[in-house]
Amino acid sequence: MSENPKINIVNPTAQLKTHFRWVIMGIIFVTYAINYMDRTNIGVVLPFISQEFGLSNFEAGALASTFFLGYAASQIPAGFFFSKFGTRGLVSLSILGFSICTYLIGTSSSPFMIKVYRFLLGVSEGPTPVGCVSTINNWFPAKEKGTATGLYIASTMFAPILVPPLVVWIALEHGWRSVFFWFAVPGFIMAIVWYLFVKSSPEKSEHVSASELAYIQEADTTAAEKVQTTVKKSLGWIDSFIRAKKVAILDSNAEVFKSRNIWGVCIAYFLMVSVLYGLLTWIPSYLVKEKGFSFMKMGLVAAAPWIGGFIGSIAGGWLSDKIFLKRRKPTMIITTLSTAIMMAVLINIPNNANLVAIALFMTGFLINVGWPAFTAYPMGLASNSTYPVAISLVNTGGNLGGFFSPMIAGLLLDKFSSFTNVFLYFGVAAALAFIILLTIDEPVNEA
């Protein structure tokens, strides 16, 4: 007798197939969009906070950076917790915690208190992304993981599309503190929704049919699909270039920490997160100070890179699954190289609102074409039980880039009073990430 009654049937695909995994994907999308809105709103209010407290660019950057110190600190402990106990309870508490911290930032009476609450915001947000991607890993078959991860990453771009114009309007009408009061509300709702509907694995959910469970576990792969997988298992010269090969699955957490490939993608992610969060923090100030835009125009143009990023992340996940046959390195390589090129474009772009918006749109699109692959890549190396630790290690290293980058950019602005050296710094980071990615393997483990 099978231990799982849901798949103890003669023909699971003949039963009514539910699609509840996509409901789960919708909850993940909304949850992480809220998570991202609560961490990125600081970039838009920085000009208001700096004006009130008389902050230097370095001090303003430090307000954003303290979040990532707390965020990085909680990733690996969360990964170990999820690998042992599942995602449901801790993710719900994480959402509740970061919503409370978002509210508290609005009560701050000094820059020091903003830093304290931003640090606590990072600590409380840390478990959410590890829980989200671990849920994707458990709830989706291998052939859909890249697409699902692309949608997850798209939520991080959907949030900054809404944030700049919404934050500017709230801050101008009600003051910058009200931004954090308003932004705290959605998280309280989603903490309840997550706990009620998102179980750690699909077999624990009463909303998943036996047929869908079999599909998620890839028990219903048809003969035609198997033939297609066999025929289309090589990308020719691309596989040679990306070092595609069979690799041993990392079955223990000790193996995760010893993996050259995990550490390679971790360092590359550190460099690319330095670029992404540097842009998230400083693009609003760049538009106001360097380009002379009004706050309202800034709120509109500052959304451009994230509109591009939203499209790019969905396209990148699909490309990774369908065109590159679950290879993750191709889109990561495209992203790192093209991002370095776009930083040169931003340095030389004329002071024209339409051209600036187009350049920022393309920057966001190209950064995010490969962004889902950084999260999906460890799925090809780790087992379901070790993936939470693997992705928490990658996220920890990556988000340390988010800690250092805003402050380094602020120092460069204080010293040179121009964004040219800031974008040069971002471009060098992207180029180094490109070089590092060339040294790691692409895991291909199909028979």
Side-chain angles (χ1 to χ4, degrees), residues 45-298:
V45 298
L46 272 182
F48 299 94
I49 295 174
S50 296
Q51 187 177 42
E52 178 171 329
F53 294 112
L55 303 179
S56 68
N57 289 309
F58 174 77
E59 291 168 333
L63 295 184
S65 292
T66 50
F67 165 87
F68 294 100
L69 190 60
Y71 191 67
S74 61
Q75 297 270 306
I76 292 177
F80 277 102
F81 183 94
F82 290 140
S83 66
K84 188 172 184 179
F85 300 107
T87 58
R88 184 187 183 193
L90 183 56
V91 172
S92 301
L93 286 175
S94 173
I95 300 167
L96 179 64
F98 73 66
S99 300
I100 293 171
C101 291
T102 297
Y103 182 90
L104 290 174
I105 292 172
T107 69
S108 301
S109 58
S110 67
F112 174 75
M113 289 310 301
I114 295 176
K115 290 179 183 178
V116 170
Y117 292 137
R118 283 281 295 176
F119 175 82
L120 294 176
L121 178 70
V123 171
S124 57
E125 278 202 10
T128 299
V130 180
C132 285
V133 295
S134 297
T135 300
I136 290 172
N137 195 45
N138 290 334
W139 274 81
F140 286 85
K143 59 190 172 187
E144 292 180 352
K145 286 180 181 179
T147 302
T149 305
L151 289 169
Y152 158 76
I153 296 298
S155 70
T156 69
M157 297 298 103
F158 180 74
I161 293 171
L162 299 179
V163 165
L166 183 59
V167 167
V168 168
W169 179 79
I170 295 173
L172 290 176
E173 292 292 324
H174 305 285
W176 65 264
R177 287 178 175 80
S178 293
V179 171
F180 300 98
F181 300 149
W182 287 32
F183 274 50
V185 174
F188 293 122
I189 299 171
M190 288 310 297
I192 298 171
V193 170
W194 186 285
Y195 188 79
L196 291 178
F197 293 102
V198 185
K199 302 297 176 65
S200 297
S201 57
E203 57 265 28
K204 295 179 181 178
S205 175
E206 63 274 19
H207 302 290
V208 177
S209 69
S211 185
E212 182 178 14
L213 182 61
Y215 178 81
I216 291 170
Q217 296 174 343
E218 299 190 304
D220 64 339
T221 302
T222 66
E225 287 174 323
K226 289 179 180 178
V227 169
Q228 184 182 42
T229 298
T230 302
V231 172
K232 296 182 65 178
K233 65 182 181 181
S234 175
L235 292 176
W237 68 269
I238 295 178
D239 274 351
S240 298
F241 180 71
I242 64 176
R243 299 166 58 96
K245 61 180 67 175
K246 288 186 178 182
V247 297
I249 295 298
L250 305 173
D251 288 321
S252 70
N253 292 329
E255 290 176 347
V256 169
F257 281 93
K258 294 176 183 177
S259 171
R260 174 182 62 82
N261 292 319
I262 291 293
W263 282 107
V265 77
C266 177
I267 296 170
Y269 195 48
F270 167 87
L271 293 164
M272 290 308 296
V273 170
S274 297
V275 179
L276 182 68
Y277 285 113
L279 291 173
L280 276 168
T281 302
W282 288 108
I283 282 295
S285 296
Y286 162 73
L287 295 173
V288 171
K289 296 179 180 179
E290 185 102 342
K291 297 302 180 184
F293 291 179
S294 67
F295 281 111
M296 288 306 296
K297 182 183 285 188
M298 175 271 284

Side-chain angles (χ1 to χ4, degrees), residues 310-332:
F310 180 79
I311 299 170
S313 56
I314 295 175
W318 180 85
L319 284 169
S320 184
D321 272 349
K322 305 300 183 183
I323 304 302
F324 294 116
L325 307 180
K326 294 184 287 185
R327 274 63 159 173
R328 310 308 179 188
K329 277 183 62 177
T331 53
M332 289 193 287

